[in-house]
Amino acid sequence: FNCGSTLDMSGIGSAFMAAQVAMNTTLAAAVGGLTVFCLRLIPMMGGRYDIGGFCNGILAGLVSITAPCGNVACGSAVLIGFVGALIYQATSMLIQRVRVDDPIDAF
């Protein structure tokens, strides 16, 4: 969906921008999902495979990269997805600790 925000494909510049947006969006989503997935494998955090957490990590990466996706380099997109996943995991743990009923853990 972010690629469409370039609004046109009339020239080579806008085509490269759309490609960069697609790559950054994909990288941030993948890193976000994998970060939460790996964090939840740690015994302190449950020590189990959590596909729901993986999907929410992807969502956290997508939310994190949406605004700057056309203005950052690939390495920055990876870092943004990673930080978004850490923030998601921390808030998810906080919500569980204060006993808020959130059945899909997507607050």
Side-chain angles (χ1 to χ4, degrees), residues 12 17 38 45 50 77 86 96:
I12 192 84
M17 176 61 77
C38 291
M45 301 204 191
D50 187 3
L86 291 179
Q96 290 174 3

Side-chain angles (χ1 to χ4, degrees), residues 8-103:
D8 72 70
M9 294 282 274
S10 60
I12 192 84
S14 61
F16 278 126
M17 176 61 77
Q20 179 181 0
V21 167
M23 184 170 50
N24 286 345
T25 302
T26 304
L27 284 172
V31 168
L34 289 173
T35 299
V36 172
F37 187 75
C38 291
L39 282 174
R40 293 198 177 178
L41 283 176
I42 296 172
M44 273 183 10
M45 301 204 191
R48 60 182 167 80
Y49 294 109
D50 187 3
I51 300 303
F54 178 70
C55 293
N56 285 333
I58 290 172
L59 182 61
L62 288 171
V63 167
S64 301
I65 197 64
T66 296
C69 64
N71 300 317
V72 296
C74 298
S76 297
V78 168
L79 182 63
I80 289 169
F82 181 73
V83 170
L86 291 179
I87 291 171
Y88 162 73
Q89 181 63 32
T91 54
S92 174
M93 291 170 60
L94 177 68
I95 285 175
Q96 290 174 3
R97 184 161 297 219
V98 296
R99 299 180 188 258
V100 172
D101 185 23
D102 187 9

